[in-house]
Amino acid sequence: QGGDTGFGNPSTGDEHYFGSKGARLKGEFELNSGSILQILIGQKGEPTPGGNDWVRLSGGGGGTYVVSSIPLLVAGGGGGHYFTQATGGNPGSSVLSNDPSGGTASGSGGGGGGYSSDGNNSSIAQGGLSFVNGGVGGSSGRTDWSGDGGFGGGGGGKHGSYPGGGGGYEGGDSQEGQQKADGGKSYNAGTNHDNATGVNLGNGKVIITWVGN
């Protein structure tokens, strides 16, 4: 499951504090004895450090990756959002992509990292790094009212109106003009899929269950 995005303290009951949720993917995989799995758990996007409510916004959530010699499963992280977007950014998408590229930047917000290509850098915030390049979330480039992207390729968000895109197999695009950034898209090489958009709240997770004889 991919990481979400959010602001500060949801216990206030203010719906503006809830971020977009990451995708959830399930599948069955046949592995050989001695197979080595690389697992990267998507981190939720950094909430804004506070300040003026009308300009603060979050970085994108990181994607969650399970990789052997090839990618097996990638769950997209949620897109960052401007403070006034009550339901957060666009959620991590269960739409399966064969495009491992990073997301595009907006004027000052970073794109989400893909599987093999980094998200695009903006003039200020950085795009998230791809899985193959380490998956580090993009820096917001600021210390005021701006959030870094989560580990797993989340793009950095810059205050004003430039939230970061979510990480995934295909990185999400940043947006501008008080819009919701796009969540990352997903990938599932297994069988018996059970995939859903916008399910996971908080950091990502991976659950592995033995189904063999």
Side-chain angles (χ1 to χ4, degrees):
Q1 301 186 28
D4 81 337
T5 64
F7 291 114
N9 182 11
S11 65
T12 61
D14 184 341
E15 63 182 355
H16 291 171
Y17 281 82
F18 291 93
S20 60
K21 298 177 181 179
R24 187 212 67 215
L25 277 78
K26 296 181 181 180
E28 295 184 9
F29 303 86
E30 183 174 346
L31 301 174
N32 297 320
S33 176
S35 295
I36 297 175
L37 297 180
Q38 301 178 70
I39 299 175
L40 186 160
I41 303 296
Q43 179 188 27
K44 62 183 180 180
E46 182 187 44
T48 179
N52 185 335
D53 287 349
W54 299 106
V55 296
R56 57 190 176 125
L57 76 173
S58 69
T64 291
Y65 302 77
V66 180
V67 177
S68 182
S69 56
I70 59 171
L72 301 178
L73 187 148
V74 181
H81 62 117
Y82 187 76
F83 180 77
T84 56
Q85 296 290 346
T87 56
N90 291 312
S93 176
S94 62
V95 171
L96 302 182
S97 174
N98 289 311
D99 180 1
S101 63
T104 60
S106 60
S108 299
Y115 174 73
S116 61
S117 297
D118 300 337
N120 294 150
N121 295 328
S122 73
S123 60
I124 296 178
Q126 296 177 340
L129 296 187
S130 67
F131 172 84
V132 300
N133 287 331
V136 175
S139 169
S140 68
R142 301 290 294 257
T143 58
D144 55 345
W145 317 327
S146 305
D148 295 339
F151 184 61
K158 185 262 183 185
H159 79 71
S161 53
Y162 304 98
Y169 189 79
E170 179 182 347
D173 296 337
S174 175
Q175 301 292 339
E176 59 184 279
Q178 303 179 17
Q179 299 300 310
K180 302 178 179 185
D182 294 334
K185 293 181 181 179
S186 300
Y187 184 88
N188 193 338
T191 59
N192 297 326
H193 291 185
D194 182 4
N195 307 325
T197 292
V199 171
N200 188 60
L201 184 65
N203 295 320
K205 65 185 74 171
V206 170
I207 299 173
I208 300 176
T209 304
W210 171 256
V211 295
N213 296 322

